[in-house]
Amino acid sequence: MDEMSELITKANIARPDDFYAELIGLHEGRTKEESDALNARLILLLANHIGDIDVLRQAMKAAAKSGHDGARN
Amino acid sequence: MTRIFETPIYPYVRSADQDAASPARHPVVVVGAGPVGLAAAVDLAQAGTPVVVLDENDKVSWGSRAICFAKRPLEILDRLGCGDPMVDKGVVWNVGKVFFDERQVYEFNLLPEAGHKRPAFINLQQYHFEKYLVDRVRELEAAGKPIEIRGGNKVRSIDQREGHVRLDIETPDGPYAIDADWLVACDGAASPIRSMMGLDFIGRTFEDNFLIADIVMQEGDFPTERWFWFDPPFNRGQSTLLHKQPDNVWRVDFQLGWNIDKEEEKKPENVTRRLKAFLGDDASFELEWVSIYTFQCRRMAKFRHGHVLFAGDSAHQVSPFGARGANSGLQDTDNLVWKLKLVLEGKAPETLLDSYDEERIHGADENILNSSRSTDFITPKSDISRIFRDAVLELSEHHEFARPLVNSGRLSVPCTYDGSSLNGTDDEKMPPRTRPGSPASDAPIGGKWLLDMLGGRFQLVTIDTEAPERIDAGGIGIERLALSSADDPTGALAERYLGGRESAVYLMRPDQHVAARWVGFNEAAVRDALDTAVARDRGWTR
């Protein structure tokens, strides 16, 4: 069986502050509905870029956790 | 007990200038005896340039104010002869913790690189900082250096004339006037000099208030670390910072939000109530200093206006996150003073001072960008910005990738003057960290420190190669500092200065920044680089 690809959770963005500022800047001046829709499009674009369903499942699982130790779901 | 900031340390004394028939002329007058003005004055005086410092008060700063000093400013203070008392008194710290809601999400360690004399950061109250600089002024005075602080001297107006500035000064004995070839305005964020000249800022104002409570806590359970809370239960929706200073003084910084009643918040009983919610009901502490501040991230369009030069907060302001205020002010005067001295001595054209604008505006923009971003993270400006901020914090607990995105302040790092018109030849096989425009990196050299051997004049540092001991370049002496990579068995010198080369020659500026570098010595190349470094390369003749 092929080895499953691992979701990268180590820092992987060269200039994190630049990226973050652009991400927030993208939403500037948009309504909540527009921002939500933009986020959805962004997630779909990134997901397509990743392609690997195993990796996407790991990302969805990690994102679904929240709160201390993921207890508060 | 009388606190250090309640004691006059440069009380008003009548000066002979007040009895002069016509205004006395001084090469340099510094307005403002804060950290930046005092550093400028010490730098000038120890180089033999006469300087008068005017300040309307006679005491060190009221309250702790700036408390966090980074390695590069400490290196500058070493050059100014007062690094030791600061570092001896200061609290060295490396660890920071980030909390979100009710829990710690992660911890970081600055992990300072080995082979440097000075630590990454110390915490020290501004009043101690200023006191040690005043001590240094007194030491220089005693050694006969041309320096004078005039307390109780308030500048009422200034007039830029041909080649000098006339200052009209108010004192307890009435007004008098003096002339300055150059005026250095270090009179703070509310700079009266800037207002008198009708000059303004470009940049952003942030709608937020922060409450600083400096408390004396004898038996605190808190280590010497920087603790930062996002949205904690004791200050919902806001942030809080806890950081240790010397003498058991702790800086607590509560974000308050925009629509608040400042007078109400500042009342000791309300501050105490907040602190108890934070530290616990049985916590025992004493309030030392309470202040509410707002801030701007902005700068003047230009720092040089004819014969008036602005430095520190008078020229640029940042949010406090990242310790980029006083730290950048010290880098301003570090950059300015040697240039001013060469211009006063007629060894470089006045246009050299335009490079102060060029280099320090580059520095100010870097600081403004970083501190604005920290502020936007700490105080999200929109719902979506808060959603992303909280998502980053949530993820940071379990996923390393999110930690570099958490921004509770990007701590001050030394400024490299990339692209400066003063930069000369580079050698690309040498390490990027010491490229032209960079501040010299320290290294241990046979039981001493490299940076203690650098500064105050132009120097030619040779590593494993030969060069003349001294070169005179149109009145500017270039002294050789001969080093061998064998002087440093740790290998730091070679790693920081040679890289892929067997030998190196570095032309160093008086502010310890690299002007140019080569593999071997070539006299014509060194002379060219020197001319470039003092702006003599554009058709200037003495």
Side-chain angles (χ1 to χ4, degrees):
Chain A
M1 199 177 125
D2 286 342
E3 204 174 303
M4 195 170 80
S5 291
E6 286 273 323
L7 176 72
I8 299 167
T9 58
K10 297 255 180 273
N12 195 34
I13 300 171
R15 297 171 66 93
D17 285 349
D18 289 352
F19 156 70
Y20 192 79
E22 283 188 41
L23 176 66
I24 301 303
L26 192 60
H27 287 274
E28 218 167 82
R30 294 182 197 266
T31 63
K32 162 131 179 58
E33 289 69 27
E34 289 168 347
S35 272
D36 287 349
L38 183 134
N39 279 336
R41 291 193 294 273
L42 189 59
I43 291 165
L44 294 169
L45 283 162
L46 295 173
N48 180 62
H49 183 85
I50 292 160
D52 186 333
I53 188 67
D54 290 328
V55 173
L56 291 170
R57 280 185 185 133
Q58 291 171 66
M60 288 190 276
K61 202 173 157 193
K65 284 186 181 171
S66 76
H68 189 48
D69 294 319
R72 206 175 69 197
N73 187 16
Chain B
M1 192 183 84
T2 309
R3 292 173 293 186
I4 178 176
F5 51 93
E6 291 171 336
T7 313
I9 58 168
Y10 41 91
Y12 169 75
V13 176
R14 191 175 176 87
S15 142
D17 286 357
Q18 288 167 258
D19 301 314
S22 60
R25 179 114 173 203
H26 297 274
V28 185
V29 171
V30 173
V31 179
V36 180
L38 289 169
V42 166
D43 208 349
L44 286 158
Q46 69 177 17
T49 306
V51 57
V52 174
V53 184
L54 306 175
D55 197 293
E56 59 180 305
N57 295 310
D58 56 7
K59 300 177 191 73
V60 292
S61 81
W62 182 263
S64 63
R65 300 168 72 90
I67 59 158
C68 210
F69 295 92
K71 181 156 76 68
R72 179 61 198 151
L74 296 177
E75 292 167 351
I76 294 169
L77 292 165
D78 276 335
R79 193 174 61 68
L80 300 183
C82 50
D84 285 339
M86 309 267 186
V87 177
D88 291 348
K89 178 80 181 176
V91 172
V92 176
W93 63 275
N94 288 309
V95 172
K97 286 181 179 155
V98 177
F99 301 82
F100 177 45
D101 194 356
E102 292 183 336
R103 64 196 194 274
Q104 179 182 328
V105 284
Y106 74 98
E107 170 179 331
F108 63 85
N109 190 322
L110 298 175
L111 289 175
E113 187 183 52
H116 292 261
K117 180 180 179 185
R118 292 310 185 193
F121 277 96
I122 62 162
N123 286 357
L124 182 70
Q125 294 91 327
Q126 184 172 329
Y127 48 76
H128 286 311
F129 190 93
E130 291 183 12
K131 173 67 168 56
Y132 296 139
L133 276 164
V134 173
D135 290 347
R136 178 65 180 144
V137 169
R138 300 297 179 217
E139 200 175 280
L140 289 168
E141 270 176 340
K145 295 287 185 185
I147 188 167
E148 201 188 324
I149 310 184
R150 296 184 188 170
N153 274 240
K154 183 181 181 175
V155 178
R156 289 199 307 192
S157 68
I158 65 161
D159 181 19
Q160 284 227 56
R161 303 182 172 195
E162 189 59 40
H164 71 277
V165 184
R166 167 76 47 94
L167 292 97
D168 179 29
I169 302 160
E170 193 169 272
T171 74
D173 284 339
Y176 74 109
I178 54 173
D179 286 341
D181 291 342
W182 298 94
L183 174 64
V184 185
C186 307
D187 51 348
S191 174
I193 301 285
R194 197 185 59 230
S195 309
M196 288 171 205
M197 295 177 71
L199 298 167
D200 209 350
F201 282 115
I202 43 176
R204 292 167 68 186
T205 298
F206 291 84
E207 294 196 338
D208 210 339
N209 290 285
F210 289 80
L211 171 78
I212 291 182
D214 272 353
I215 55 176
V216 182
M217 229 181 349
Q218 295 304 338
E219 71 285 1
D221 282 335
F222 302 102
T224 307
E225 298 173 350
R226 179 186 196 264
W227 287 13
F228 197 97
W229 283 261
F230 290 98
D231 194 13
F234 54 83
N235 194 18
R236 268 297 164 217
Q238 312 289 354
S239 68
T240 300
L241 171 81
L242 177 72
H243 217 173
K244 190 176 187 195
Q245 306 169 45
D247 311 325
N248 293 313
V249 176
W250 297 80
R251 161 69 55 89
V252 185
D253 196 340
F254 292 109
Q255 185 184 10
L256 299 180
W258 186 234
N259 290 310
I260 57 146
D261 181 341
K262 288 190 193 186
E263 289 316 307
E264 199 56 30
E265 289 289 351
K266 264 202 289 202
K267 286 184 180 161
E269 62 270 29
N270 290 332
V271 175
T272 301
R273 181 185 45 77
R274 252 181 204 289
L275 285 163
K276 294 230 159 172
F278 170 40
L279 300 166
D281 271 338
D282 47 358
S284 129
F285 53 82
E286 196 186 306
L287 290 179
E288 180 180 79
W289 179 61
V290 172
S291 169
I292 289 186
Y293 67 92
T294 57
F295 54 79
Q296 291 83 36
C297 289
R298 57 187 191 174
R299 65 164 170 86
M300 298 175 74
K302 290 191 308 158
F303 300 168
R304 180 191 171 196
H305 290 263
H307 282 237
V308 181
L309 299 139
F310 290 85
D313 284 357
S314 72
H316 45 75
Q317 291 151 34
V318 291
S319 77
F321 312 108
R324 290 167 180 266
N327 282 312
S328 67
L330 290 165
Q331 292 173 71
D332 285 348
T333 59
D334 186 46
N335 187 284
L336 175 62
V337 164
W338 66 272
K339 296 175 179 174
L340 204 48
K341 181 171 188 279
L342 288 177
V343 170
L344 274 163
E345 290 171 348
K347 292 174 181 170
E350 271 187 33
T351 51
L352 177 58
L353 295 170
D354 293 330
S355 74
Y356 167 66
D357 251 359
E358 180 191 341
E359 295 187 331
R360 290 313 301 161
I361 283 177
H362 173 79
D365 284 346
E366 208 170 84
N367 290 324
I368 288 169
L369 176 70
N370 278 290
S371 88
S372 301
R373 283 178 173 179
S374 302
T375 307
D376 285 339
F377 193 87
I378 292 164
T379 313
K381 297 293 174 293
S382 63
D383 291 341
I384 190 72
S385 179
R386 180 173 293 270
I387 287 167
F388 272 110
R389 199 279 306 265
D390 290 352
V392 164
L393 289 167
E394 282 276 0
L395 289 165
S396 73
E397 186 177 6
H398 297 293
H399 302 294
E400 191 204 296
F401 87 93
R403 294 171 196 166
L405 294 169
V406 174
N407 193 340
S408 69
R410 293 281 177 251
L411 294 168
S412 174
V413 290
C415 182
T416 295
Y417 304 130
D418 280 323
S420 166
S421 63
L422 305 189
N423 291 349
T425 312
D426 191 14
D427 181 300
E428 311 235 314
K429 288 212 169 131
M430 291 182 188
R433 67 188 289 168
T434 40
R435 65 190 181 275
S438 315
S441 291
D442 208 355
I445 309 284
K448 297 186 193 148
W449 294 102
L450 175 59
L451 286 186
D452 284 341
M453 305 175 201
L454 293 177
R457 69 264 199 226
F458 275 94
Q459 286 166 289
L460 201 61
V461 178
T462 59
I463 305 172
D464 300 332
T465 189
E466 292 305 315
E469 291 307 312
R470 191 181 160 84
I471 297 168
D472 183 277
I476 299 175
I478 306 172
E479 276 176 42
R480 180 187 179 198
L481 175 65
L483 303 176
S484 154
S485 48
D487 295 338
D488 173 20
T490 70
L493 181 70
E495 186 208 316
R496 292 167 199 177
Y497 288 89
L498 293 179
R501 295 296 191 184
E502 295 296 306
S503 66
V505 174
Y506 279 76
L507 179 64
M508 293 288 184
R509 308 186 339 184
D511 58 4
Q512 302 174 327
H513 279 249
V514 175
R517 58 182 181 175
W518 309 267
V519 173
F521 172 72
N522 173 311
E523 185 170 334
V526 171
R527 287 180 182 279
D528 274 354
L530 188 281
D531 281 343
T532 301
V534 299
R536 288 204 298 218
D537 54 346
R538 281 157 272 172
W540 183 77
T541 46
R542 294 180 73 183

